[in-house]
Amino acid sequence: MNRTGRVLGCVVLALLLAKPAPATPPPPAAGGQEPKASPYRQLLETLSATADLLGEAGGPTAEQPQEAPAPEPLPGAEPEVRVTEQGTVELHVQNLALATVLQLLSLESRHNIIASPQVSGTVTATLYDVSFDEALNAILLANGAGFVRSGNFIYVYTRKELDDMALAADPPVTRVFPLNYISAADAKTYLTPLLSSVGSLAVPPDPERGVASSPDDAGGNTHANTDFVIVTDRGAHLERIERVLGEIDVRPQQVLIEATILRAQLTEDNALGIDFSVVGGVDLQTLGATSAGIQDLTLGDLPPENFSEFNIGAATDVRSNVPRGGLSVGILKDNVAMFLRALEQVTDTTILANPKVLALNKQRGQVIVGRRDGFLTTTVTETQAIQTVEFLESGTTLIFRPYISQDGFVRVELHPEDSVGFVNAQGLPTKQTTEVTTNVVVRDGHTILIGGLFRDVTKDARSQVPLLGNIPGLGQLFRSNNDSISREEVIILMTLRIVKDDAAYAEAAQQQREDIERMRVGMRRGMMWQGRQRLAQGFYHRALDHYAAGRTNWALWDLRLALHNQPRCLPAIQLKEKIAGTRAWDEDGTAARGFLWNLIARDRGLVLPQFGRPGPPFLAPGELRGPNGFSD
């Protein structure tokens, strides 16, 4: 056999040896997994080994030219899956079934992969130096599948199967989360993104929509006691929602706003006028002249017998521009009368408002100290005219909205207003106002000053006799002057304090309430002693002294006198019940008064006495002075 025959024989033998034998894969070498060669690579290794044998058996020598090695197939020509010694995966497949790719990946990586019958698809991918989990995620995600590890097994399922398994392992649970400070509508906005695909959230209806506006309206189905949200979801999502609610449903901060609005008005009026009355040909008695305390002059009709005679008359009336009051001087002599009136008025008015109010963070607050004047508005349509009543608000108004920051500053929207309004005889409203709208940032405890709201009006009015009033010096006798100056200034001070110690503010409020009680008591003590309030007050105090000394009969006597003057004195009624051992309504004898109470007590299983009088409630002497009675 020549050399060519021997080579052909070796090739045939190599092809026979390259046939894969069904045998279990060898165990991995120590220190890692030994990569298993692909079938076409096994064939190349077998051919190489055969060529070596041929070289040893008299094959081509070193002097003879060697044949070029067979080229390595391209990655796209045949599927290739390799796992390196470092555990990374290199994968080159094109339009290969997903089940085949999973099988090759299992063989190369020595992982136990079991796929669900529902898993299907094809894979076209080229991956370099990726981990096993990354490669598995990549090929499964593209086919709508995923995997789950359990011990030494990797189970591959579709996304729907995984969702069904998760739902079965963690079924949705319904929980009610009560809300303390935030509204249900706000909570729904915050919590909806935290729900899973199977989660749901429900909130109570808006209370405004629950009020029945007509007998046919089905409103009123609201839960008015508390605000809450009902969430149905898996346990992990419910825990996340509970954690988020614990962070956002917290007590909001408050701001104490103290505003001082000072409005100062100064009005100065200065008026002077002189009137003359001169008659000729007749005397004042003939004309039936009258004078009101020599301050004015009124002439009657000219007598008929004086018509043929020469009569003259002249008068000025410039003094009427001067308001009444001040200095009035009148002179009457024969046929001449002169009247003078001078007035200077100075009015200094100061209006001070000092409202204090607590406001929640980011919530609008409004304080109005003033009046509301009603006026009618008419709306005319083609068929009817509808009149409605509207109100004009005037006085001191403060509108604000605070925004508390975490660095000790407060941004506040302010709209202070100080106005004067009225409705005229025609029913038209008129309002004069001074107001400011602004946004400012101020540190906690500091004061905002809004000033410069200043207005000065000067008025000079003059009435005179033509020509004569312009004569220097003497012209003052033929004219009147009315000068007025009006100055107005508004200053607004606002102090903002973030409430940090609720107990301190509660104590301050209690102190304020006690001061009001002191003022009320002081006003009562200033009343006349013979009044019913003062008499009842005195008898009640004497009854307390008798009761403390053990003189119950005298205490009852004074209590009867106190209740005679003031029958609704609650502390006196309580003390009388305690001393007498009976209650005031026991003598009424009206069975219907306690009918509902008896029914409620019967439903609760309470035993009520059927005979005899129930004893009065125990009251210590210090408890007999209530806020509605005499506490002074």
Side-chain angles (χ1 to χ4, degrees):
M1 182 180 295
N2 55 15
R3 183 182 301 272
T4 304
R6 289 197 301 271
V7 171
L8 292 176
C10 291
V11 170
V12 174
L13 179 61
L15 292 175
L16 294 176
L17 293 175
K19 183 178 180 181
T24 43
Q33 295 180 349
E34 181 181 356
K36 180 180 179 181
S38 61
Y40 69 85
R41 189 171 296 277
Q42 291 179 359
L43 176 59
L44 292 177
E45 293 176 355
T46 304
L47 290 175
S48 177
T50 305
D52 293 340
L53 291 175
L54 288 176
E56 295 176 359
T61 60
E63 292 79 7
Q64 296 176 350
Q66 297 182 359
E67 297 180 2
E72 185 175 356
L74 298 175
E78 187 175 353
E80 180 181 4
V81 178
R82 290 193 309 169
V83 178
T84 64
E85 294 181 356
Q86 291 78 20
T88 60
V89 176
E90 183 177 343
L91 184 144
H92 308 283
V93 294
Q94 184 175 3
N95 293 330
L96 191 63
L98 177 60
T100 303
V101 176
L102 292 177
Q103 184 179 7
L104 293 176
L105 192 61
S106 176
L107 292 174
E108 290 291 334
S109 63
R110 311 288 297 173
H111 284 88
N112 302 317
I113 301 177
I114 301 176
S116 168
Q118 304 296 328
V119 177
S120 62
T122 58
V123 180
T124 299
T126 300
L127 305 178
Y128 294 97
D129 294 332
V130 297
S131 65
F132 173 80
D133 287 351
E134 291 175 342
L136 187 59
N137 271 324
I139 63 177
L140 293 180
L141 184 62
N143 290 275
F147 70 94
V148 177
R149 291 182 180 270
S150 178
N152 294 327
F153 293 89
I154 298 176
Y155 297 94
V156 180
Y157 300 98
T158 62
R159 286 295 176 187
K160 184 178 183 307
E161 290 176 327
L162 290 175
D163 292 340
D164 294 341
M165 293 170 57
L167 188 61
D170 187 10
V173 180
T174 301
R175 284 189 58 184
V176 178
F177 293 96
L179 304 176
N180 297 319
Y181 301 103
I182 64 173
S183 64
D186 292 341
K188 182 178 180 180
T189 303
Y190 304 145
L191 301 181
T192 299
L194 304 179
L195 298 174
S196 66
S197 58
V198 298
S200 63
L201 186 146
V203 298
D206 189 354
E208 295 182 358
R209 285 181 275 170
V211 178
S213 58
S214 64
D216 298 331
D217 191 359
N221 299 323
T222 61
H223 197 286
N225 294 331
T226 58
D227 218 351
F228 58 90
V229 291
I230 302 176
V231 183
T232 301
D233 211 334
R234 297 171 180 170
H237 292 269
L238 291 177
E239 293 177 359
R240 187 188 312 170
I241 289 174
E242 184 178 9
R243 183 173 63 256
V244 171
L245 277 179
E247 296 178 0
I248 63 176
D249 187 23
V250 295
R251 183 176 58 186
Q253 289 183 289
Q254 295 187 98
V255 176
L256 175 63
I257 297 180
E258 180 179 359
T260 301
I261 302 176
L262 175 64
R263 180 178 181 181
Q265 291 179 314
L266 177 62
T267 303
E268 296 182 8
D269 293 329
N270 195 350
L272 174 64
I274 300 175
D275 287 349
F276 282 99
S277 294
V278 179
V279 293
V282 293
D283 58 9
L284 298 178
Q285 294 181 353
T286 306
L287 293 177
T290 60
S291 175
I294 318 181
Q295 297 180 6
D296 203 350
L297 181 65
T298 302
L299 301 178
D301 297 332
L302 186 66
E305 59 270 13
N306 289 67
F307 285 169
S308 60
E309 298 179 1
F310 180 77
N311 302 294
I312 61 172
T316 61
D317 190 18
V318 296
R319 186 175 57 91
S320 60
N321 295 328
V322 180
R324 291 187 176 275
L327 175 65
S328 297
V329 178
I331 300 175
L332 296 175
K333 178 61 177 176
D334 297 332
N335 297 339
V336 179
M338 182 185 72
F339 301 95
L340 180 146
R341 180 178 297 168
L343 175 65
E344 181 178 5
Q345 292 180 331
V346 178
T347 303
D348 193 357
T349 304
T350 301
I351 301 176
L352 181 65
N354 186 228
K356 302 180 182 67
V357 63
L358 275 173
L360 288 177
N361 184 27
K362 299 181 181 180
Q363 299 299 318
R364 181 177 183 267
Q366 182 175 0
V367 177
I368 299 177
V369 181
R371 54 181 293 176
R372 291 181 176 178
D373 297 318
F375 59 93
L376 292 176
T377 59
T378 305
T379 303
V380 181
T381 62
E382 296 180 356
T383 58
Q384 59 182 351
I386 303 175
Q387 284 189 335
T388 58
V389 178
E390 297 185 6
F391 292 92
L392 174 66
E393 294 182 350
S394 60
T396 301
T397 303
L398 177 62
I399 303 175
F400 56 89
R401 187 189 300 270
Y403 296 87
I404 304 174
S405 61
Q406 300 298 325
D407 56 355
F409 283 83
V410 180
R411 180 175 71 87
V412 58
E413 299 176 358
L414 291 177
H415 180 79
E417 176 183 339
D418 187 73
S419 60
V420 177
F422 59 90
V423 179
N424 59 18
Q426 290 75 28
L428 298 177
T430 302
K431 186 175 183 180
Q432 180 181 357
T433 179
T434 301
E435 55 187 280
V436 177
T437 301
T438 183
N439 273 267
V440 295
V441 177
V442 63
R443 184 180 291 276
D444 176 25
H446 287 200
T447 301
I448 303 170
L449 170 63
I450 302 176
L453 304 178
F454 182 84
R455 180 171 55 188
D456 193 332
V457 179
T458 302
K459 181 180 179 181
D460 183 8
R462 184 169 68 173
S463 300
Q464 66 179 21
V465 177
L467 299 179
L468 296 179
N470 295 327
I471 299 176
L474 295 178
Q476 185 64 42
L477 301 176
F478 301 96
R479 68 171 179 260
S480 66
N481 296 83
N482 193 338
D483 301 334
S484 64
I485 299 175
S486 177
R487 289 191 294 269
E488 180 179 351
E489 184 176 5
V490 177
I491 299 175
I492 301 172
L493 300 173
M494 293 190 62
T495 304
L496 289 82
R497 296 182 178 88
I498 301 176
V499 178
K500 304 181 183 67
D501 189 356
D502 294 335
Y505 283 94
E507 183 179 355
Q510 178 66 19
Q511 182 65 33
Q512 190 73 19
R513 190 187 71 85
E514 292 178 358
D515 292 341
I516 294 175
E517 286 293 316
R518 293 186 181 96
M519 288 188 291
R520 182 185 64 84
V521 170
M523 293 178 62
R524 284 193 176 183
R525 287 181 176 176
M527 300 173 65
M528 293 184 294
W529 66 270
Q530 66 270 24
R532 297 181 60 190
Q533 292 283 344
R534 290 295 305 275
L535 290 176
Q537 183 181 18
F539 286 128
Y540 174 68
H541 281 205
R542 290 171 55 185
L544 288 176
D545 295 337
H546 290 312
Y547 176 73
R551 298 186 293 270
T552 56
N553 292 333
W554 287 102
L556 285 175
W557 174 262
D558 288 327
L559 287 174
R560 293 189 185 98
L561 294 178
L563 293 175
H564 175 75
N565 289 277
Q566 188 181 6
R568 291 177 296 179
C569 181
L570 183 60
I573 296 175
Q574 294 176 342
L575 181 58
K576 181 181 177 182
E577 291 177 353
K578 180 174 180 58
I579 297 176
T582 181
R583 295 179 296 199
W585 64 84
D586 290 338
E587 306 297 336
D588 191 6
T590 304
R593 187 181 302 275
F595 176 73
L596 291 178
W597 167 249
N598 292 332
L599 292 179
I600 295 174
R602 185 184 306 168
D603 293 338
R604 294 182 178 180
L606 300 178
V607 179
L608 297 179
Q610 300 295 330
F611 302 98
R613 298 177 178 177
F618 174 76
L619 293 174
E623 299 176 342
L624 296 174
R625 303 187 180 190
N628 297 326
F630 297 120
S631 58
D632 52 338

